[in-house]
Amino acid sequence: MRQTRETYLFFIQTYTQQNGPKITVFKLLINISVIYLCCAEMVIKEEKQCELIKDQAKMVFVISGIRNVNELSPESVSHVKSMLVQNGVVVIEKQNLTRNQQVDFTSKLGKIVVLPPSLEGDDPEVGYPEVQRVTNYWSNGTWKTKEHCFGCYWHKDGNFQQNGYMASVLYADQVADNRSATQFLDNCEVFGRLTKMTQKELSKSVFTVSVRDIPDFSKGKEEDLALFPLVKRHKGIYHHPENRRKCAYITNTLVTDQGVAHHLEDAWSEVTGKSVKYTHYWKKGDLVIWDNLAVMHRAGTGGSSGPGDRTPRMLYRTQVVL
C-alpha cells in the first residue's frame, strides 16, 4: 500500500511538472483521476507478473506514463532510486532517448562509470565513452555471429570495481518486441531458500574478483586491464547497504581469497537454481535500471531470438555509482 501511495503521488507530481502551473483545477482533477487509474493499472501489471510467471521474484517495479525521464524533478529521480533499492530492478516504459539524454539521466542517478574501449568489446559508440553498445551488429554494420555473446552467464556488472555499489542502465533503441530478453535473479531473496550448510559455507567465504577474471574482458588490452590493479573482495554473505537485506554473493569463477573453491560448486548451483527470477522481454523504448548489489543478470532469449539471431537489435548501456 505504501508503494502504491508513493507511486500515485509520484505520477501527480510528474504530471504537474510536465504540463505547467497554468492548468485549471477542473483539468487537474480530471487528470488526477486518469493518473490514479494509470497507477492502479501499473500496480496490477506488476502483480500479474508475479502471479503468472512461475517463481517470479517481486523484484521489478514497472513505471509507465513518464513522457521523458529527463523532465523528472530531483524529487522524482529520488523516488525512482527508492524503488530501485526496494525492488532491485526498475522498468520505465515508452522512452525515446538520444545518447545525450541517456547520459544526462544516468548522471542524475550518481557518478557515471566510463570503461576503456577494449573492455566494452572494442565496439564503441563514437563520441560517447560513457555508452556501451549492446547489439548483435558491429558499428561497421557487420553481424557479430552467434559465437559473440557478452554476458551470457550469471554475473554482476562492475564487481571488479572498488566501489561496488553500482547500477546499470540499459535502453532499448531498436528491438523486435519479445525477441530479446534479459534475466535477473535476486541475491537477497534467495538467502532464505539456501540450506543451512550453504549459508554456513558462504558466510565463511570471501570472493575475490579481478578485472582479469571477467570472461567478457578476456581480449582486453594490457594497458586497459592495468588501470584496475586491485582485486575486489566480496563477503559471501552481506547486508545490502541501503535496505539492509541479507544477501548471498557468489561468482561463477568460484575464486576466493583462499584460491578456487571447488567445494562451492554446489552452492553456485543452489544460488542460481533456487533463486526466483525475472525475465524482461524487451520492447522498443524500455529503460531498465538494476542494482548490481541486489541482483545478478544474464543475457536471455525471447521467442526465437538468441546469440545467432540476425534480427537487428540495438540497446545502449550506461553504468553509475549510486
Side-chain angles (χ1 to χ4, degrees):
M1 180 63 71
R2 177 184 176 186
Q3 198 171 71
T4 302
R5 184 176 64 253
E6 288 181 356
T7 306
Y8 177 48
L9 295 174
F10 172 62
F11 271 86
I12 294 174
Q13 182 183 47
T14 301
Y15 178 84
T16 54
Q17 289 167 353
Q18 293 183 347
N19 291 276
K22 296 183 178 180
I23 57 174
T24 66
V25 174
F26 179 70
K27 287 184 177 179
L28 178 59
L29 289 174
I30 291 175
N31 285 285
I32 284 176
S33 299
V34 173
I35 292 167
Y36 181 82
L37 291 174
C38 290
C39 175
E41 181 182 355
M42 180 192 69
V43 174
I44 290 171
K45 181 176 183 180
E46 181 187 2
E47 292 174 349
K48 282 184 178 178
Q49 285 177 336
C50 297
E51 291 170 359
L52 296 178
I53 301 176
K54 184 178 180 181
D55 287 335
Q56 169 70 47
K58 192 169 184 180
M59 54 190 279
V60 57
F61 190 77
V62 181
I63 302 175
S64 59
I66 296 177
R67 184 172 59 194
N68 186 329
V69 291
N70 284 295
E71 296 177 356
L72 297 178
S73 69
E75 292 77 13
S76 295
V77 173
S78 179
H79 178 87
V80 171
K81 293 175 69 173
S82 176
M83 294 301 99
L84 184 64
V85 168
Q86 292 182 39
N87 297 275
V89 181
V90 169
V91 178
I92 304 177
E93 299 179 321
K94 298 181 179 179
Q95 296 301 292
N96 184 19
L97 302 178
T98 64
R99 307 295 77 71
N100 268 329
Q101 289 173 327
Q102 182 173 349
V103 170
D104 287 347
F105 174 69
T106 304
S107 68
K108 295 176 181 179
L109 299 174
K111 182 179 179 181
I112 291 182
V113 175
V114 179
L115 291 176
S118 74
L119 303 188
E120 295 188 333
D122 277 327
D123 186 28
E125 180 67 9
V126 177
Y128 295 95
E130 312 93 336
V131 177
Q132 179 184 1
R133 292 161 44 89
V134 182
T135 176
N136 53 350
Y137 280 79
W138 296 103
S139 56
N140 64 8
T142 59
W143 181 50
K144 287 189 174 182
T145 78
K146 62 183 180 181
E147 288 77 23
H148 187 94
C149 183
F150 257 49
C152 291
Y153 55 94
W154 288 115
H155 67 286
K156 293 176 178 287
D157 290 340
N159 60 347
F160 64 94
Q161 302 268 18
Q162 292 306 301
N163 188 332
Y165 190 21
M166 292 175 53
S168 299
V169 182
L170 190 57
Y171 170 66
D173 186 69
Q174 180 184 9
V175 63
D177 286 0
N178 298 323
R179 288 184 65 88
S180 300
T182 301
Q183 297 175 305
F184 298 90
L185 67 79
D186 192 329
N187 287 98
C188 304
E189 191 276 342
V190 76
F191 176 80
R193 296 172 178 254
L194 302 177
T195 64
K196 296 298 182 183
M197 178 60 71
T198 296
Q199 291 180 4
K200 181 178 179 181
E201 289 295 330
L202 288 178
S203 68
K204 296 187 298 182
S205 302
V206 177
F207 293 90
T208 59
V209 181
S210 166
V211 69
R212 300 175 187 274
D213 296 334
I214 309 297
D216 289 338
F217 297 167
S218 60
K219 296 182 180 179
K221 295 179 180 178
E222 178 57 36
E223 59 266 31
D224 291 340
L225 297 172
L227 295 173
F228 306 93
L230 301 180
V231 172
K232 176 64 177 179
R233 303 171 81 248
H234 299 271
K235 293 181 179 180
I237 301 297
Y238 62 98
H239 286 90
H240 191 284
E242 294 295 327
N243 59 38
R244 305 308 300 166
R245 295 170 69 198
K246 187 175 284 189
C247 311
Y249 186 96
I250 192 168
T251 66
N252 62 327
T253 59
L254 301 180
V255 177
T256 71
D257 54 2
Q258 302 299 314
V260 179
H262 293 292
H263 67 285
L264 292 177
E265 290 177 357
D266 288 343
W268 169 259
S269 297
E270 195 173 341
V271 169
T272 57
K274 288 186 174 182
S275 174
V276 288
K277 301 173 179 69
Y278 164 63
T279 300
H280 183 75
Y281 295 96
W282 289 94
K283 300 185 298 296
K284 178 178 172 59
D286 282 351
L287 182 68
V288 178
I289 311 167
W290 64 89
D291 177 347
N292 284 292
L293 275 187
V295 304
M296 285 198 290
H297 68 285
R298 61 169 294 164
T301 59
S304 60
S305 177
D309 182 32
R310 295 197 182 201
T311 304
R313 178 173 71 249
M314 177 60 72
L315 298 91
Y316 295 102
R317 189 192 72 172
T318 46
Q319 293 177 295
V320 60
V321 176
L322 295 173

